[in-house]
Amino acid sequence: MQELTHYINGEHVKGTSGRFADVYNPATGEVQAQTPLASEEELNRAVEFAAAAQPAWAATNPQRRARVLMKFVALLNRDMDKLAEALSREHGKTLPDAAGDVQRGLEVVEYCIGAPQMLKGEFTDSAGPGIDMYSMRQALGVTAGITPFNFPAMIPMWMFAPAIACGNAFILKPSERDPSVPLMLAELMEEAGLPKGILQVVNGDKQAVDAILHHPVIQSVGFVGSTPIAEYIYATGCANGKRVQCFGGAKNHMIVMPDADMDQAADALVGAGYGAAGERCMAISVAVPVGDETADRLIEKLVPRIEKLKVGPYTAGNDVDYGPVVTAAAKANIERLVQSGVDQGAKLVVDGRGFQLQGYEDGFFVGPHLFDNVTRDMDIYKTEIFGPVLTTVRAQSYEEALGLAMDHEYGNGTAIFTRDGDAARDFANRINIGMVGVNVPIPVPLAYHTFGGWKKSAFGDLNQHGPDAFKFYTRTKTVTARWPSGIKEGGEFSIPVME
């Protein structure tokens, strides 16, 4: 049984709390490792090292900080296969999907290499007689991130790359379900030249989270996970004077107009709905065909595609479409929600219940499901299922379809499939959702734009990566300077005004 560690001040450190969490192989159901769950004292020690190392790092030329990230990118490419295999072993993703997880994080690191440009301030000369004004972006100090199991490479890099590029130290609390890749990333950052103490990994559960939220030295907290936890972290972190950005749950709708290319729409729905076993916050989980004829054509196209999906472990080859879900509890919750859909009157068109994979009977595999005739009062519509379950809600008009997405409490992502530019433009302008795809099922922005939802999918004023990240991880300081031409006598007692 492998015992994992924390990564504190450049070293792998065994846990001292006496508490551990099991790390499973989702394909077999076996416990393959144990990860330590940090105490408040262990978190505090990591913060002490970070606080000691951070001032020198912030004083380092931004271009030199960027060179560390350049080297890190090279190391990520060198170790891509190793990282993907470790990720798949603990999460269950297919190897190509795991490599994509690393790649999308890598792209944010590449963007952050441009930190010297993003950190430039503003300058106004002669704002008044002999007066110049200028602004500076300065690091916050010690920052922290709490990241989810479903993207154990990408989301940590979305957080720590911009934070470190801005001159901060970063404490990463990854998911205890798949912590190996975050530990490997910390090693690679130091191999790239990052000073000890600037990036540290503290494994843990709620005890570690609360220690982060209440620690007076930690200046900001980022989080990705479920909405109830996002609300808790946002409220608690803000109450403790921290800058906080939290990203929560989702229920992403894809509107299919009558004029859409139905083969294209069906392919998009299968990939977006069942990829990574549906364990993506940007997964399409609700198809909304407009009109019964459109719905019937769409279902006809979907069924054979879904029935041909290959479900298996990552070791079965790159033609596997998706693997197991992350835990037995996740599998049980998905199965409970599927049964609730049947009980509440939805039509189960593709029934994945009872799915078993020969030789992997104890694994956490869930067969693909497709529901039709789902209504907005059903649990499978209201709840984020986070599994390989696609629901179909029939709309009789474009306005009804638009209203479904707009009325839902979540607002992470959405898409419309149509050949009508006017409908697409109207949809993009009116929808109250943060990320919109037009004939693109999963509209995750590239690294130089920002990622973030609306409504109960996001809490905080700034999004992840892109220009917003440099705003989130820095404070603006504005300086007004006067250099008199000679010594002046006496003081001025009136508020200065422009003359």
mmCIF file of all heavy atoms in Angstrom, residues 72-90:
data_model
loop_
_atom_site.group_PDB
_atom_site.id
_atom_site.type_symbol
_atom_site.label_atom_id
_atom_site.label_comp_id
_atom_site.label_asym_id
_atom_site.label_seq_id
_atom_site.Cartn_x
_atom_site.Cartn_y
_atom_site.Cartn_z
ATOM 1 N N PHE A 72 9.047 25.008 -17.212
ATOM 2 C CA PHE A 72 7.986 24.125 -16.746
ATOM 3 C C PHE A 72 7.196 23.562 -17.917
ATOM 4 O O PHE A 72 6.854 22.370 -17.936
ATOM 5 C CB PHE A 72 7.075 24.894 -15.789
ATOM 6 C CG PHE A 72 5.934 24.107 -15.207
ATOM 7 C CD1 PHE A 72 6.137 22.914 -14.535
ATOM 8 C CD2 PHE A 72 4.627 24.579 -15.313
ATOM 9 C CE1 PHE A 72 5.078 22.203 -13.978
ATOM 10 C CE2 PHE A 72 3.568 23.880 -14.762
ATOM 11 C CZ PHE A 72 3.791 22.682 -14.103
ATOM 12 N N VAL A 73 6.893 24.386 -18.921
ATOM 13 C CA VAL A 73 6.183 23.913 -20.111
ATOM 14 C C VAL A 73 6.976 22.797 -20.795
ATOM 15 O O VAL A 73 6.424 21.771 -21.210
ATOM 16 C CB VAL A 73 5.921 25.079 -21.086
ATOM 17 C CG1 VAL A 73 5.467 24.557 -22.446
ATOM 18 C CG2 VAL A 73 4.859 26.013 -20.511
ATOM 19 N N ALA A 74 8.290 22.995 -20.913
ATOM 20 C CA ALA A 74 9.129 21.966 -21.537
ATOM 21 C C ALA A 74 9.090 20.662 -20.739
ATOM 22 O O ALA A 74 9.021 19.567 -21.316
ATOM 23 C CB ALA A 74 10.566 22.473 -21.654
ATOM 24 N N LEU A 75 9.082 20.769 -19.411
ATOM 25 C CA LEU A 75 9.040 19.576 -18.571
ATOM 26 C C LEU A 75 7.680 18.887 -18.657
ATOM 27 O O LEU A 75 7.598 17.651 -18.609
ATOM 28 C CB LEU A 75 9.359 19.946 -17.130
ATOM 29 C CG LEU A 75 10.772 20.486 -16.878
ATOM 30 C CD1 LEU A 75 10.932 20.932 -15.430
ATOM 31 C CD2 LEU A 75 11.825 19.445 -17.238
ATOM 32 N N LEU A 76 6.602 19.665 -18.757
ATOM 33 C CA LEU A 76 5.285 19.071 -18.935
ATOM 34 C C LEU A 76 5.220 18.259 -20.223
ATOM 35 O O LEU A 76 4.677 17.143 -20.252
ATOM 36 C CB LEU A 76 4.211 20.163 -18.954
ATOM 37 C CG LEU A 76 3.880 20.845 -17.629
ATOM 38 C CD1 LEU A 76 2.956 22.034 -17.873
ATOM 39 C CD2 LEU A 76 3.226 19.872 -16.649
ATOM 40 N N ASN A 77 5.771 18.804 -21.291
ATOM 41 C CA ASN A 77 5.787 18.075 -22.558
ATOM 42 C C ASN A 77 6.665 16.830 -22.453
ATOM 43 O O ASN A 77 6.310 15.771 -22.992
ATOM 44 C CB ASN A 77 6.278 18.983 -23.680
ATOM 45 C CG ASN A 77 5.206 19.947 -24.157
ATOM 46 O OD1 ASN A 77 4.097 19.538 -24.484
ATOM 47 N ND2 ASN A 77 5.506 21.232 -24.197
ATOM 48 N N ARG A 78 7.765 16.939 -21.745
ATOM 49 C CA ARG A 78 8.650 15.781 -21.567
ATOM 50 C C ARG A 78 7.948 14.651 -20.822
ATOM 51 O O ARG A 78 8.091 13.470 -21.161
ATOM 52 C CB ARG A 78 9.895 16.223 -20.794
ATOM 53 C CG ARG A 78 10.922 15.110 -20.566
ATOM 54 C CD ARG A 78 11.915 15.495 -19.468
ATOM 55 N NE ARG A 78 11.303 15.453 -18.130
ATOM 56 C CZ ARG A 78 11.921 15.860 -17.010
ATOM 57 N NH1 ARG A 78 13.151 16.352 -17.075
ATOM 58 N NH2 ARG A 78 11.294 15.782 -15.851
ATOM 59 N N ASP A 79 7.193 14.999 -19.785
ATOM 60 C CA ASP A 79 6.573 14.000 -18.914
ATOM 61 C C ASP A 79 5.083 13.801 -19.185
ATOM 62 O O ASP A 79 4.366 13.269 -18.329
ATOM 63 C CB ASP A 79 6.762 14.400 -17.443
ATOM 64 C CG ASP A 79 8.198 14.255 -16.971
ATOM 65 O OD1 ASP A 79 9.037 13.806 -17.767
ATOM 66 O OD2 ASP A 79 8.482 14.611 -15.805
ATOM 67 N N MET A 80 4.609 14.216 -20.348
ATOM 68 C CA MET A 80 3.177 14.155 -20.642
ATOM 69 C C MET A 80 2.611 12.750 -20.446
ATOM 70 O O MET A 80 1.570 12.564 -19.805
ATOM 71 C CB MET A 80 2.912 14.628 -22.066
ATOM 72 C CG MET A 80 1.447 14.624 -22.478
ATOM 73 S SD MET A 80 0.466 15.861 -21.589
ATOM 74 C CE MET A 80 1.036 17.368 -22.394
ATOM 75 N N ASP A 81 3.290 11.741 -20.976
ATOM 76 C CA ASP A 81 2.775 10.373 -20.877
ATOM 77 C C ASP A 81 2.738 9.902 -19.420
ATOM 78 O O ASP A 81 1.785 9.240 -18.989
ATOM 79 C CB ASP A 81 3.626 9.428 -21.718
ATOM 80 C CG ASP A 81 3.471 9.666 -23.211
ATOM 81 O OD1 ASP A 81 2.500 10.352 -23.602
ATOM 82 O OD2 ASP A 81 4.314 9.187 -23.985
ATOM 83 N N LYS A 82 3.765 10.240 -18.663
ATOM 84 C CA LYS A 82 3.825 9.841 -17.248
ATOM 85 C C LYS A 82 2.707 10.505 -16.457
ATOM 86 O O LYS A 82 2.041 9.873 -15.627
ATOM 87 C CB LYS A 82 5.186 10.225 -16.674
ATOM 88 C CG LYS A 82 5.411 9.747 -15.242
ATOM 89 C CD LYS A 82 6.662 10.373 -14.627
ATOM 90 C CE LYS A 82 7.904 10.019 -15.404
ATOM 91 N NZ LYS A 82 9.129 10.548 -14.730
ATOM 92 N N LEU A 83 2.479 11.793 -16.699
ATOM 93 C CA LEU A 83 1.416 12.518 -16.004
ATOM 94 C C LEU A 83 0.043 11.959 -16.367
ATOM 95 O O LEU A 83 -0.815 11.768 -15.503
ATOM 96 C CB LEU A 83 1.491 14.007 -16.347
ATOM 97 C CG LEU A 83 2.679 14.778 -15.771
ATOM 98 C CD1 LEU A 83 2.884 16.086 -16.527
ATOM 99 C CD2 LEU A 83 2.481 15.049 -14.290
ATOM 100 N N ALA A 84 -0.162 11.687 -17.663
ATOM 101 C CA ALA A 84 -1.457 11.175 -18.112
ATOM 102 C C ALA A 84 -1.738 9.801 -17.506
ATOM 103 O O ALA A 84 -2.868 9.513 -17.088
ATOM 104 C CB ALA A 84 -1.494 11.103 -19.635
ATOM 105 N N GLU A 85 -0.723 8.958 -17.425
ATOM 106 C CA GLU A 85 -0.934 7.624 -16.868
ATOM 107 C C GLU A 85 -1.274 7.693 -15.381
ATOM 108 O O GLU A 85 -2.183 6.998 -14.908
ATOM 109 C CB GLU A 85 0.321 6.774 -17.088
ATOM 110 C CG GLU A 85 0.089 5.268 -16.983
ATOM 111 C CD GLU A 85 0.052 4.764 -15.555
ATOM 112 O OE1 GLU A 85 0.684 5.389 -14.667
ATOM 113 O OE2 GLU A 85 -0.609 3.730 -15.306
ATOM 114 N N ALA A 86 -0.572 8.549 -14.648
ATOM 115 C CA ALA A 86 -0.863 8.705 -13.216
ATOM 116 C C ALA A 86 -2.262 9.264 -13.006
ATOM 117 O O ALA A 86 -2.983 8.857 -12.081
ATOM 118 C CB ALA A 86 0.180 9.618 -12.571
ATOM 119 N N LEU A 87 -2.666 10.192 -13.869
ATOM 120 C CA LEU A 87 -3.990 10.794 -13.764
ATOM 121 C C LEU A 87 -5.079 9.750 -14.050
ATOM 122 O O LEU A 87 -6.055 9.629 -13.298
ATOM 123 C CB LEU A 87 -4.075 11.974 -14.738
ATOM 124 C CG LEU A 87 -5.185 13.008 -14.547
ATOM 125 C CD1 LEU A 87 -4.807 14.311 -15.242
ATOM 126 C CD2 LEU A 87 -6.508 12.519 -15.087
ATOM 127 N N SER A 88 -4.888 8.974 -15.099
ATOM 128 C CA SER A 88 -5.873 7.955 -15.460
ATOM 129 C C SER A 88 -5.989 6.887 -14.377
ATOM 130 O O SER A 88 -7.086 6.397 -14.084
ATOM 131 C CB SER A 88 -5.485 7.290 -16.789
ATOM 132 O OG SER A 88 -5.597 8.187 -17.870
ATOM 133 N N ARG A 89 -4.881 6.533 -13.778
ATOM 134 C CA ARG A 89 -4.872 5.471 -12.771
ATOM 135 C C ARG A 89 -5.716 5.845 -11.555
ATOM 136 O O ARG A 89 -6.367 4.995 -10.957
ATOM 137 C CB ARG A 89 -3.431 5.180 -12.356
ATOM 138 C CG ARG A 89 -3.280 3.962 -11.447
ATOM 139 C CD ARG A 89 -1.817 3.623 -11.196
ATOM 140 N NE ARG A 89 -1.107 4.707 -10.520
ATOM 141 C CZ ARG A 89 -0.146 5.446 -11.069
ATOM 142 N NH1 ARG A 89 0.210 5.240 -12.340
ATOM 143 N NH2 ARG A 89 0.463 6.382 -10.376
ATOM 144 N N GLU A 90 -5.721 7.144 -11.186
ATOM 145 C CA GLU A 90 -6.461 7.565 -10.002
ATOM 146 C C GLU A 90 -7.848 8.110 -10.323
ATOM 147 O O GLU A 90 -8.748 8.011 -9.496
ATOM 148 C CB GLU A 90 -5.664 8.627 -9.236
ATOM 149 C CG GLU A 90 -4.428 8.076 -8.576
ATOM 150 C CD GLU A 90 -3.677 9.097 -7.749
ATOM 151 O OE1 GLU A 90 -4.022 10.306 -7.818
ATOM 152 O OE2 GLU A 90 -2.744 8.714 -7.029
#
